[in-house]
Amino acid sequence: MSPAPVFVVTGPSGAGKGTLIRMLVERIPVLEVAISATTRPLRPGERDGVEYHFLDEEDFGGRIEEGAFLEHVEYVSGKRYGTLRSEIDRVADDGRICVLELELDGALRVQQDVPGSVTLFIAAPVEELERRLRERATESTGEIGDRIDLARRQLEQAHRFRYMVRNDDVARATGSLCAIVERELAFAATLSPS
Ligand code: 5GP
């Protein structure tokens, strides 16, 4: 049997991945977002086990040793992020289709290692990324600067992913994303025995 698709949404910080994913999952309820692990501190309003599994360095390192991660990276300011294999299994056990929100290196890793993965790069103009990050104001000024520098370099990598969706209009971008996912799901269904 061919593997169920895994949708990987990537793109620079501030491109609106989180908002688009929320709208996507609302419109296509078979999708479920896997909860990543991270060593970054909680932002106001975030809860452990909801937005992320918030781990300390030692716990995260121990899980790397155990091979618990499908992929993991060190992002800006030395903070770690990773996809737990147990999360992918949990979503599959629920009978749902997994969506991952990953930065670029993690997305490339999954694209390479996971058969049936479908990568979607969310792009937005640099000025827009900068405005959103400053508006969100959840990071220090230095960290926002680092994220913007990284975002510029990341925008040049869009061609490495299967699809690119430009998010200069949320409604339009959501429509494009949903159309791609529905088409991929319909295609995957033709490959599975009924
Ligand atoms: P934030 O700190 O803004 O929540 O996330 C920072 C970046 O880490 C975002 O680009 C987000 O997509 C990415 N990210 C979140 N979880 C994971 C993960 O499990 N693996 C990887 N590679 N990136 C992740």
Side-chain angles (χ1 to χ4, degrees), residues 49-65:
V50 179
E51 284 77 14
Y52 284 103
H53 297 291
F54 292 93
L55 307 180
D56 61 25
E57 271 294 334
E58 197 184 333
D59 195 354
F60 200 103
R63 292 185 198 220
I64 294 175
E65 300 276 300

mmCIF file of all heavy atoms in Angstrom, residues 49-65:
data_model
loop_
_atom_site.group_PDB
_atom_site.id
_atom_site.type_symbol
_atom_site.label_atom_id
_atom_site.label_comp_id
_atom_site.label_asym_id
_atom_site.label_seq_id
_atom_site.Cartn_x
_atom_site.Cartn_y
_atom_site.Cartn_z
ATOM 1 N N GLY A 49 2.333 21.252 25.110
ATOM 2 C CA GLY A 49 1.536 20.156 24.554
ATOM 3 C C GLY A 49 0.464 20.639 23.591
ATOM 4 O O GLY A 49 -0.264 19.831 23.020
ATOM 5 N N VAL A 50 0.327 21.951 23.411
ATOM 6 C CA VAL A 50 -0.667 22.478 22.466
ATOM 7 C C VAL A 50 0.072 23.072 21.249
ATOM 8 O O VAL A 50 0.038 22.503 20.160
ATOM 9 C CB VAL A 50 -1.600 23.517 23.119
ATOM 10 C CG1 VAL A 50 -2.597 24.066 22.108
ATOM 11 C CG2 VAL A 50 -2.320 22.901 24.302
ATOM 12 N N GLU A 51 0.762 24.195 21.449
ATOM 13 C CA GLU A 51 1.540 24.770 20.335
ATOM 14 C C GLU A 51 2.795 23.937 20.081
ATOM 15 O O GLU A 51 3.181 23.700 18.944
ATOM 16 C CB GLU A 51 1.928 26.222 20.636
ATOM 17 C CG GLU A 51 0.787 27.216 20.482
ATOM 18 C CD GLU A 51 -0.178 27.188 21.663
ATOM 19 O OE1 GLU A 51 0.177 26.597 22.704
ATOM 20 O OE2 GLU A 51 -1.277 27.759 21.533
ATOM 21 N N TYR A 52 3.451 23.548 21.159
ATOM 22 C CA TYR A 52 4.665 22.725 21.098
ATOM 23 C C TYR A 52 4.719 21.849 22.337
ATOM 24 O O TYR A 52 4.048 22.134 23.342
ATOM 25 C CB TYR A 52 5.931 23.617 21.161
ATOM 26 C CG TYR A 52 6.280 24.349 19.893
ATOM 27 C CD1 TYR A 52 5.997 25.715 19.769
ATOM 28 C CD2 TYR A 52 6.931 23.716 18.838
ATOM 29 C CE1 TYR A 52 6.335 26.421 18.617
ATOM 30 C CE2 TYR A 52 7.273 24.419 17.683
ATOM 31 C CZ TYR A 52 6.969 25.757 17.580
ATOM 32 O OH TYR A 52 7.306 26.449 16.439
ATOM 33 N N HIS A 53 5.578 20.830 22.285
ATOM 34 C CA HIS A 53 6.038 20.174 23.504
ATOM 35 C C HIS A 53 7.298 20.945 23.900
ATOM 36 O O HIS A 53 8.296 20.910 23.166
ATOM 37 C CB HIS A 53 6.377 18.707 23.247
ATOM 38 C CG HIS A 53 5.184 17.901 22.810
ATOM 39 N ND1 HIS A 53 4.142 17.612 23.667
ATOM 40 C CD2 HIS A 53 4.859 17.360 21.616
ATOM 41 C CE1 HIS A 53 3.228 16.909 23.005
ATOM 42 N NE2 HIS A 53 3.636 16.752 21.757
ATOM 43 N N PHE A 54 7.215 21.693 24.982
ATOM 44 C CA PHE A 54 8.360 22.515 25.397
ATOM 45 C C PHE A 54 9.287 21.670 26.272
ATOM 46 O O PHE A 54 8.884 21.212 27.349
ATOM 47 C CB PHE A 54 7.868 23.762 26.149
ATOM 48 C CG PHE A 54 7.133 24.722 25.246
ATOM 49 C CD1 PHE A 54 5.744 24.662 25.121
ATOM 50 C CD2 PHE A 54 7.823 25.675 24.507
ATOM 51 C CE1 PHE A 54 5.054 25.531 24.275
ATOM 52 C CE2 PHE A 54 7.140 26.548 23.652
ATOM 53 C CZ PHE A 54 5.758 26.477 23.542
ATOM 54 N N LEU A 55 10.510 21.444 25.776
ATOM 55 C CA LEU A 55 11.461 20.578 26.476
ATOM 56 C C LEU A 55 12.685 21.390 26.882
ATOM 57 O O LEU A 55 13.024 22.375 26.225
ATOM 58 C CB LEU A 55 11.922 19.436 25.563
ATOM 59 C CG LEU A 55 10.851 18.566 24.894
ATOM 60 C CD1 LEU A 55 11.522 17.498 24.027
ATOM 61 C CD2 LEU A 55 9.948 17.914 25.933
ATOM 62 N N ASP A 56 13.376 20.947 27.948
ATOM 63 C CA ASP A 56 14.661 21.594 28.228
ATOM 64 C C ASP A 56 15.732 20.911 27.381
ATOM 65 O O ASP A 56 15.486 19.877 26.760
ATOM 66 C CB ASP A 56 14.974 21.609 29.735
ATOM 67 C CG ASP A 56 15.082 20.210 30.319
ATOM 68 O OD1 ASP A 56 15.381 19.265 29.556
ATOM 69 O OD2 ASP A 56 14.872 20.058 31.537
ATOM 70 N N GLU A 57 16.919 21.533 27.364
ATOM 71 C CA GLU A 57 18.029 21.040 26.525
ATOM 72 C C GLU A 57 18.320 19.567 26.770
ATOM 73 O O GLU A 57 18.534 18.795 25.843
ATOM 74 C CB GLU A 57 19.301 21.846 26.841
ATOM 75 C CG GLU A 57 19.466 23.083 25.999
ATOM 76 C CD GLU A 57 19.692 22.773 24.526
ATOM 77 O OE1 GLU A 57 20.198 21.687 24.192
ATOM 78 O OE2 GLU A 57 19.317 23.627 23.704
ATOM 79 N N GLU A 58 18.313 19.204 28.063
ATOM 80 C CA GLU A 58 18.697 17.845 28.417
ATOM 81 C C GLU A 58 17.684 16.823 27.879
ATOM 82 O O GLU A 58 18.048 15.804 27.304
ATOM 83 C CB GLU A 58 18.786 17.765 29.943
ATOM 84 C CG GLU A 58 19.555 16.567 30.426
ATOM 85 C CD GLU A 58 19.536 16.482 31.943
ATOM 86 O OE1 GLU A 58 19.406 17.545 32.609
ATOM 87 O OE2 GLU A 58 19.621 15.351 32.452
ATOM 88 N N ASP A 59 16.427 17.139 28.067
ATOM 89 C CA ASP A 59 15.356 16.257 27.608
ATOM 90 C C ASP A 59 15.406 16.136 26.080
ATOM 91 O O ASP A 59 15.322 15.045 25.513
ATOM 92 C CB ASP A 59 14.011 16.840 28.077
ATOM 93 C CG ASP A 59 12.881 15.829 27.975
ATOM 94 O OD1 ASP A 59 13.120 14.730 27.443
ATOM 95 O OD2 ASP A 59 11.756 16.158 28.397
ATOM 96 N N PHE A 60 15.598 17.293 25.408
ATOM 97 C CA PHE A 60 15.641 17.284 23.937
ATOM 98 C C PHE A 60 16.824 16.426 23.475
ATOM 99 O O PHE A 60 16.676 15.561 22.602
ATOM 100 C CB PHE A 60 15.770 18.726 23.409
ATOM 101 C CG PHE A 60 15.364 18.900 21.971
ATOM 102 C CD1 PHE A 60 14.136 19.459 21.635
ATOM 103 C CD2 PHE A 60 16.212 18.517 20.937
ATOM 104 C CE1 PHE A 60 13.757 19.624 20.306
ATOM 105 C CE2 PHE A 60 15.844 18.679 19.609
ATOM 106 C CZ PHE A 60 14.614 19.241 19.291
ATOM 107 N N GLY A 61 18.003 16.649 24.108
ATOM 108 C CA GLY A 61 19.210 15.893 23.747
ATOM 109 C C GLY A 61 19.021 14.399 23.954
ATOM 110 O O GLY A 61 19.436 13.584 23.129
ATOM 111 N N GLY A 62 18.367 14.045 25.064
ATOM 112 C CA GLY A 62 18.114 12.634 25.361
ATOM 113 C C GLY A 62 17.257 11.988 24.286
ATOM 114 O O GLY A 62 17.505 10.858 23.855
ATOM 115 N N ARG A 63 16.278 12.757 23.811
ATOM 116 C CA ARG A 63 15.391 12.198 22.776
ATOM 117 C C ARG A 63 16.104 12.064 21.435
ATOM 118 O O ARG A 63 15.797 11.162 20.657
ATOM 119 C CB ARG A 63 14.133 13.050 22.644
ATOM 120 C CG ARG A 63 13.281 12.923 23.892
ATOM 121 C CD ARG A 63 11.992 13.652 23.725
ATOM 122 N NE ARG A 63 11.379 13.889 25.024
ATOM 123 C CZ ARG A 63 10.087 13.772 25.249
ATOM 124 N NH1 ARG A 63 9.277 13.412 24.281
ATOM 125 N NH2 ARG A 63 9.599 14.019 26.433
ATOM 126 N N ILE A 64 17.080 12.960 21.183
ATOM 127 C CA ILE A 64 17.880 12.798 19.956
ATOM 128 C C ILE A 64 18.626 11.460 20.051
ATOM 129 O O ILE A 64 18.611 10.663 19.108
ATOM 130 C CB ILE A 64 18.891 13.959 19.786
ATOM 131 C CG1 ILE A 64 18.171 15.282 19.550
ATOM 132 C CG2 ILE A 64 19.860 13.654 18.629
ATOM 133 C CD1 ILE A 64 19.084 16.505 19.490
ATOM 134 N N GLU A 65 19.240 11.229 21.206
ATOM 135 C CA GLU A 65 19.993 9.982 21.415
ATOM 136 C C GLU A 65 19.110 8.755 21.196
ATOM 137 O O GLU A 65 19.544 7.759 20.614
ATOM 138 C CB GLU A 65 20.518 9.914 22.864
ATOM 139 C CG GLU A 65 21.440 11.038 23.239
ATOM 140 C CD GLU A 65 22.858 10.744 22.806
ATOM 141 O OE1 GLU A 65 23.405 9.736 23.265
ATOM 142 O OE2 GLU A 65 23.389 11.515 21.989
#
